[in-house]
Amino acid sequence: MIYNNMINHLKLWCMNKAVVYKNAHGAQDGMTYVGYLVACEMEFKLSTLIDKSFESIEELKREVLHLVHVHYEPAVLEPAVLEPENRLAQHFIEKTNRAFCEYLEEVLAQKEALSLADIPYTRVILGPEATALQEKFRSVWGYVNTLFWFPLMGEEPKEISEKFFVMFKYFKPYRKQLEQILGLPQTHMYSYGENVFRPQHCIETVVLDEYGGNETIYTDKDFSWAIYFSHEDTVAFAGSIVPKVKEVLSGEKDHWDKFEWDWE
């Protein structure tokens, strides 16, 4: 069976816990930040279980409990327990894990009585499926996550005829219109970029996130279009959606394909 709703309830707990820790960051010598990392990392790990089939709830529980002790974030993975600061960090790691395991038992006990966890679809893709998608990002769009993409790459992808970019501030007012063009949140997309957590992965999502510290490219499941958010505040568009996006952004035509960095 697929237990997406149970998993989403667990993810929602992680999201809320991350907010609590983030708001408390700076207190207690900043060690609450490691609790924030644990919660964010757990949400990431739970997203690898979306749409995965389990023979029973017990099998789901075993998998989730296994993931509790799988770490990708260096600050969580390698706390030097001999130093007082890192012993405190370890305390926040263990505290967060205990609280999560307690909530896991609550969720499992409710089973079908759980309300719907209303959060956007997000599936983290690992292994051969991720490798195949990464290769397609490279072959279709010329994108590799260790390099920049259009317009920041050294050589423009001449084989992609339909493409243009604007600075993010000119795109932002039209974001909702772009989401309508893409059919969000009903339509599923793939995203790929600089990894927040190891290992290498792609994401299937219904959310178009703007740049949040990591270069990210989005594409539809047919790889007919691409949207790229960069560290330099550019938003690049390529492929089949370009004519419609240009129509939406026609009022910003003077800013198409121009770098206009605001350093203030």
Side-chain angles (χ1 to χ4, degrees), residues 1-12:
M1 290 185 64
I2 293 174
Y3 296 99
N4 283 2
N5 193 47
M6 284 187 172
I7 295 167
N8 280 338
H9 271 276
L10 297 173
K11 288 176 60 177
L12 190 55

Side-chain angles (χ1 to χ4, degrees), residues 21 24-33 85 88-89 91-92 95:
Y21 277 132
H25 181 42
Q28 302 187 44
D29 296 326
M31 282 299 108
T32 50
Y33 184 60
E85 296 84 358
L88 185 56
H91 164 75
F92 275 99
K95 178 182 178 181

